[in-house]
């Protein structure tokens, strides 16, 4: 027979120990809460610190750019100061009257920054030197490395700068600031020079008091290095990084200021800020290595890693402490519940045994006493029928009494059969359940089918008895309440479970509640449910359009 049940409502009885998963679940939840709280705190702290570091890094880059601009302005001021000094000397009376000896004394007495000196030259040679007595032998212009269009630049510009040249008198390199000394007719015979030595350029850079880790450098209009200073280290004629040289070499394309990422041959990756002077076309740069620039960020990440490790240890400590504090009462609760479960199981087992004993006693009493009285009443009615054979009224009444007694006797026999079925010990569950169900169908006047897996005989005896008693209780409910005309009983087994189902086409049992404790259920459904508890089974009562299905599902024991 194929069962097709359209479920409209389902009552499900599934007993589980209430704290089986409490401790593992609590541990997981506690760990998640603590880890989540620590993560939020760590994430907020890390975000705050990293944002602060990145802002500081951005500020450091801004200061790097500002430092290059300041250095460029300092260079412009130095050139402008030298130009102003030369302009003052241009109108010297001694020079105007060509008294070169007096003019030499005036130049020697003129205060110039340390590392600078003054020279008067004509178009071929040095004429007067502020650091040499008048009349000293001085070199010619040809003795120096020729600068491209040197005299043309002096002629065309108010002030011109040379690149680095070697001082033949002082055995050092220097840069010259040159200005023509105009004659009364507008031409020029002499030009004045302020010589700025490498020492002076180093002083210009140092006067900027740049932050530690910054390197300041000055390059001429041809990108030849003049001087580079980092802390106390001074490098004469530094070589510009290739990437910076590539960017700054195209004067038309490069901006007046900007940032260049380059690789220094000694310090590795670096960031270079540059400013090109509109006054001299020279370039001032400030640079710092990427390691120095990123050092605060790396330090912050190391700090955060250490803080995260410590927070992790603290979180583990808090978790263990709270787990110990919380699990201790739970363990006591578990022990109490386990003891209560044991007591409930023991009481349930005792109740079921008492119930069975009571059913046997009632069945015996009904069979041995009540049924015998009814049989005696039947015999008395039969005798009265013979005595009152001529009395039609009496015979009619006796017939009604006889019918009622016969119905009562049949009902009594069905009831005693339901409450005390055949003992399992005689034939096993398969035959006992089959005989019991078929006997019930025959006695109650119903139609139906019975299908029992013969492997049920190999189940543990206590499980067999419980399944038989569940079928007994379900059929008793069908007999009392369902008003059914058909009932089907099935016991099926597979590799993992045992399923006992009793399906009828009646009206269903009296009103019940999902927990099986409704007053209409009496003790029948709770008793069936109680029999499944020791075996980890569940009881389902499903109502459908065609009737009611009572289904007991039990995990199959491994040994069976």
């Amino acid at each position: 027979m194929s069962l097709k049940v359209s479920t409209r409502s389902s009552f499900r009885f599934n007993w589980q120990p209430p704290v089986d998963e409490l401790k593992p679940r609590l541990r997981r939840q506690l760990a998640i809460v603590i880890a989540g709280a620590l993560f939020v705190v760590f994430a907020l702290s890390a975000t705050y610190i990293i944002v602060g570091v990145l802002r500081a890094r951005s500020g450091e880059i801004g200061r790097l750019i500002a430092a290059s601009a300041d250095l460029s302005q300092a260079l412009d001021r130095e050139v402008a100061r030298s130009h102003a000094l030369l302009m003052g000397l241009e109108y010297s009376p001694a020079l105007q009257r060509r008294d070169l000896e007096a003019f030499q004394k005036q130049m020697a007495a003129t205060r110039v920054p340390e590392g600078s000196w003054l020279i008067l030259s004509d178009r071929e040679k040095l004429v007067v030197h502020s650091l040499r007595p008048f009349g000293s032998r001085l070199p010619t212009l040809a003795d120096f490395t020729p600068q491209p269009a040197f005299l043309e630049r002096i002629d065309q510009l108010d002030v011109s700068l040379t690149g680095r040249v070697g001082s033949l008198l002082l055995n050092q390199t220097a840069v010259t600031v040159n200005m023509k000394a105009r004659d009364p007719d507008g031409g020029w015979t002499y030009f004045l020079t302020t010589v700025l030595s490498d020492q002076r350029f180093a002083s210009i850079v140092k006067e900027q008091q740049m932050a530690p880790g910054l390197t300041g450098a000055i390059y001429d209009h041809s990108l030849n290095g003049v001087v580079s200073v980092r802390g106390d280290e001074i490098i004469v004629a530094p070589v510009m990084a290739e990437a910076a040289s590539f960017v700054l070499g195209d004067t038309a394309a490069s901006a007046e200021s900007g940032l260049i990422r380059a690789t220094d041959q000694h310090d590795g990756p670096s960031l270079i800020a540059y400013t090109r002077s509109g006054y001299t076309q020279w370039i001032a740069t400030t640079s710092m290595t990427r390691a120095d620039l990123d050092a605060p960020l790396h330090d912050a990440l190391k700090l955060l890693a250490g803080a995260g490790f410590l927070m992790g240890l603290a979180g583990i400590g808090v978790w263990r402490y709270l787990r110990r504090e919380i699990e201790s009462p739970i363990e006591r609760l578990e022990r109490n519940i386990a003891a209560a479960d044991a007591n409930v199981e023991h009481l349930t087992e005792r109740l079921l045994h008492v119930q069975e004993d009571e059913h046997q006693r009632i069945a015996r009493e009904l069979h041995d006493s009540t049924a015998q009285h009814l049989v005696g009443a039947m015999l008395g009615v039969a005798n009265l029928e013979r005595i009152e054979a001529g009395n039609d009224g009496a015979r009619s009444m006796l017939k009604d009494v006889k019918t009622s007694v016969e119905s009562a006797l049949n009902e009594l026999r069905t009831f005693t059969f339901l409450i005390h079925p055949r003992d399992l010990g005689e034939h096993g569950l398969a035959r006992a359940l089959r005989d019991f169900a078929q006997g019930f169908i025959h006695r109650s006047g119903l139609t139906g089918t019975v299908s029992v897996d013969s492997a049920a005989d190999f189940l543990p005896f206590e499980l067999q008895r419980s399944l038989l008693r569940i079928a007994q209780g379900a059929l008793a409910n069908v007999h009392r309440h369902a008003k059914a005309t058909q009932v089907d009983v099935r016991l099926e087994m597979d590799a993992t479970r045992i399923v006992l189902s009793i399906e009828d086409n009646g009206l269903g049992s009296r009103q019940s509640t999902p927990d099986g404790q409704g007053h209409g259920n009496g003790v029948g459904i709770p008793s069936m449910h109680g029999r499944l508890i020791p075996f980890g089974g569940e009881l389902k009562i499903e109502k459908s359009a065609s009737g009611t299905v009572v289904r007991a599902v039990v995990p199959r024991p491994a040994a069976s």
Side-chain angles (χ1 to χ4, degrees), residues 18 56 80 102-104 165 236 301 304 309 346 364 410 472 519 544-545:
F103 187 66
Q104 192 277 336
V165 295
V236 176
L301 293 177
L304 289 175
F309 177 73
H346 176 67
R364 284 195 300 270
N410 288 333
Q472 170 191 348
H519 66 277
S544 68

Side-chain angles (χ1 to χ4, degrees), residues 97-392:
R97 64 176 181 266
R98 299 297 191 262
D99 186 352
L100 299 182
E101 183 176 1
F103 187 66
Q104 192 277 336
K105 292 179 181 179
Q106 181 180 357
M107 287 197 304
T110 302
R111 295 185 59 182
V112 294
E114 184 179 358
S116 299
W117 59 90
L118 301 171
I119 297 174
L120 177 69
S121 306
D122 60 20
R123 294 176 183 269
E124 295 181 356
K125 62 183 181 303
L126 277 61
V127 177
V128 175
H129 197 295
S130 65
L131 300 182
R132 286 289 182 269
F134 181 75
S136 299
R137 185 177 180 277
L138 300 176
T140 65
L141 296 184
D143 293 330
F144 296 94
T145 302
Q147 295 284 316
F150 173 70
L151 294 177
E152 288 82 352
R153 288 174 62 84
I154 293 176
D155 187 50
Q156 294 172 2
L157 302 175
D158 292 335
V159 62
S160 65
L161 276 73
T162 65
R164 291 176 64 255
V165 295
S167 173
L168 301 180
L169 298 177
L170 301 178
N171 194 27
Q172 59 179 293
T173 57
V175 172
T176 64
V177 180
N178 305 287
M179 185 194 77
K180 55 182 175 288
R182 291 180 179 83
D183 296 332
D185 59 2
W188 61 277
T189 304
Y190 300 104
F191 66 90
L192 292 162
T193 300
T194 299
V195 181
L196 303 176
S197 66
D198 297 331
Q199 177 187 2
R200 178 56 193 156
F201 279 104
S203 297
I204 294 173
V205 178
K206 285 186 174 182
E207 287 170 1
Q208 302 310 303
Q209 297 181 347
M210 287 182 289
L214 293 187
T215 300
I218 297 174
Y219 298 88
D220 65 19
H221 56 273
S222 299
L223 304 185
N224 296 314
V226 177
V227 70
S228 172
V229 178
R230 179 173 183 173
D232 295 330
E233 181 185 8
I234 300 174
I235 300 176
V236 176
V239 178
M240 181 177 286
E242 183 178 352
S245 178
F246 177 78
V247 172
L248 299 174
D250 188 352
T251 306
S254 62
E256 291 185 359
S257 63
L259 283 173
I260 301 172
R261 287 175 173 80
T263 300
D264 186 270
Q265 56 183 337
H266 301 296
D267 296 330
S270 60
L271 190 64
I272 301 173
Y274 71 89
T275 301
R276 186 189 298 274
S277 170
Y279 181 46
T280 64
Q281 292 301 306
W282 282 30
I283 295 174
T285 68
T286 53
S287 62
M288 67 186 310
T289 64
R290 292 295 296 273
D292 290 338
L293 183 63
D294 295 335
L297 180 60
H298 294 159
D299 292 341
L301 293 177
K302 291 177 182 178
L303 177 63
L304 289 175
F309 177 73
L310 293 178
M311 289 178 68
L313 292 180
I316 293 173
V318 170
W319 176 75
R320 300 179 88 173
Y321 171 77
L322 292 179
R323 188 189 71 178
R324 183 172 63 252
E325 291 298 314
I326 294 175
E327 287 187 359
S328 179
I330 292 177
E331 290 175 351
R332 290 196 297 272
L333 176 62
E334 284 183 330
R335 289 194 294 269
N336 293 337
I337 291 176
D341 289 340
N343 290 334
V344 169
E345 187 172 345
H346 176 67
L347 291 175
T348 301
E349 186 177 355
R350 288 189 59 190
L351 175 62
L352 294 177
H353 282 298
V354 169
Q355 188 182 54
E356 288 195 11
D357 293 342
E358 185 66 14
H359 285 174
Q360 292 178 7
R361 186 187 68 77
I362 292 173
R364 284 195 300 270
E365 290 291 334
L366 292 176
H367 182 272
D368 296 341
S369 177
T370 307
Q372 298 307 318
H373 288 308
L374 290 175
V375 170
M378 288 287 293
L379 294 176
V381 170
N383 290 331
L384 287 174
E385 284 180 332
R386 286 193 299 271
I387 294 173
E388 299 294 335
N391 189 337
D392 293 337

Side-chain angles (χ1 to χ4, degrees), residues 82-97:
S82 298
H83 185 203
L85 178 60
L86 296 179
M87 289 177 64
L89 292 174
E90 179 185 11
Y91 297 101
S92 168
L95 182 58
Q96 293 294 320
R97 64 176 181 266

Side-chain angles (χ1 to χ4, degrees), residues 257-548:
S257 63
L259 283 173
I260 301 172
R261 287 175 173 80
T263 300
D264 186 270
Q265 56 183 337
H266 301 296
D267 296 330
S270 60
L271 190 64
I272 301 173
Y274 71 89
T275 301
R276 186 189 298 274
S277 170
Y279 181 46
T280 64
Q281 292 301 306
W282 282 30
I283 295 174
T285 68
T286 53
S287 62
M288 67 186 310
T289 64
R290 292 295 296 273
D292 290 338
L293 183 63
D294 295 335
L297 180 60
H298 294 159
D299 292 341
L301 293 177
K302 291 177 182 178
L303 177 63
L304 289 175
F309 177 73
L310 293 178
M311 289 178 68
L313 292 180
I316 293 173
V318 170
W319 176 75
R320 300 179 88 173
Y321 171 77
L322 292 179
R323 188 189 71 178
R324 183 172 63 252
E325 291 298 314
I326 294 175
E327 287 187 359
S328 179
I330 292 177
E331 290 175 351
R332 290 196 297 272
L333 176 62
E334 284 183 330
R335 289 194 294 269
N336 293 337
I337 291 176
D341 289 340
N343 290 334
V344 169
E345 187 172 345
H346 176 67
L347 291 175
T348 301
E349 186 177 355
R350 288 189 59 190
L351 175 62
L352 294 177
H353 282 298
V354 169
Q355 188 182 54
E356 288 195 11
D357 293 342
E358 185 66 14
H359 285 174
Q360 292 178 7
R361 186 187 68 77
I362 292 173
R364 284 195 300 270
E365 290 291 334
L366 292 176
H367 182 272
D368 296 341
S369 177
T370 307
Q372 298 307 318
H373 288 308
L374 290 175
V375 170
M378 288 287 293
L379 294 176
V381 170
N383 290 331
L384 287 174
E385 284 180 332
R386 286 193 299 271
I387 294 173
E388 299 294 335
N391 189 337
D392 293 337
R395 290 185 62 188
S396 177
M397 293 178 62
L398 290 172
K399 182 177 180 181
D400 292 340
V401 172
K402 182 178 180 182
T403 300
S404 297
V405 173
E406 286 178 347
S407 297
L409 186 58
N410 288 333
E411 182 74 18
L412 181 63
R413 286 171 177 167
T414 300
F415 180 69
T416 56
F417 180 79
L418 283 172
I419 66 173
H420 186 50
R422 183 188 301 270
D423 189 5
L424 285 174
E426 297 180 15
H427 303 290
L429 177 60
R431 180 172 175 179
L433 179 57
R434 190 181 301 111
D435 290 349
F436 171 69
Q438 290 173 347
F440 167 76
I441 291 172
H442 174 73
R443 285 175 173 76
S444 60
L446 303 177
T447 61
T449 60
V450 181
S451 175
V452 182
D453 192 325
S454 59
D457 290 341
F458 299 98
L459 296 173
F461 180 76
E462 290 299 326
L463 179 54
Q464 292 186 45
R465 184 166 65 179
S466 293
L467 292 173
L468 180 61
R469 296 302 183 235
I470 290 170
Q472 170 191 348
L475 291 175
N477 282 340
V478 172
H479 176 68
R480 293 189 191 112
H481 312 301
K483 297 181 181 180
T485 60
Q486 179 175 338
V487 63
D488 298 306
V489 179
R490 285 180 176 273
L491 178 62
E492 301 172 319
M493 299 174 59
D494 59 25
T496 59
R497 64 178 188 165
I498 305 162
V499 181
L500 171 64
S501 59
I502 298 91
E503 180 180 11
D504 66 70
N505 66 344
L507 301 178
S509 62
R510 289 176 292 172
Q511 184 64 34
S512 59
T513 58
D515 60 0
Q517 302 302 317
H519 66 277
N521 288 320
V523 297
I525 292 177
S527 176
M528 287 187 279
H529 172 56
R531 291 185 182 276
L532 293 174
I533 289 177
F535 308 103
E538 59 180 352
L539 183 70
K540 305 176 185 177
I541 301 178
E542 301 172 348
K543 293 184 178 180
S544 68
S546 61
T548 303

Side-chain angles (χ1 to χ4, degrees), residues 1-30:
M1 178 179 179
S2 174
L3 299 180
K4 296 182 179 179
V5 180
S6 175
T7 302
R8 293 188 303 179
S9 62
S10 175
F11 297 142
R12 199 176 164 90
F13 301 88
N14 186 12
W15 180 87
Q16 294 180 350
V19 293
D20 270 359
E21 297 294 329
L22 183 57
K23 282 200 295 185
R25 185 169 63 250
L26 181 62
R27 289 174 183 171
R28 289 194 298 269
Q29 293 175 347
L30 188 61

Side-chain angles (χ1 to χ4, degrees), residues 37-64:
L38 290 177
F39 175 78
V40 170
V41 172
F42 180 78
L44 292 176
S45 302
T47 301
Y48 178 79
I49 292 174
I50 291 176
V51 167
V53 170
L54 292 178
R55 285 179 178 173
R57 186 176 185 272
S58 179
E60 194 69 26
I61 293 174
R63 286 189 289 274
L64 185 67

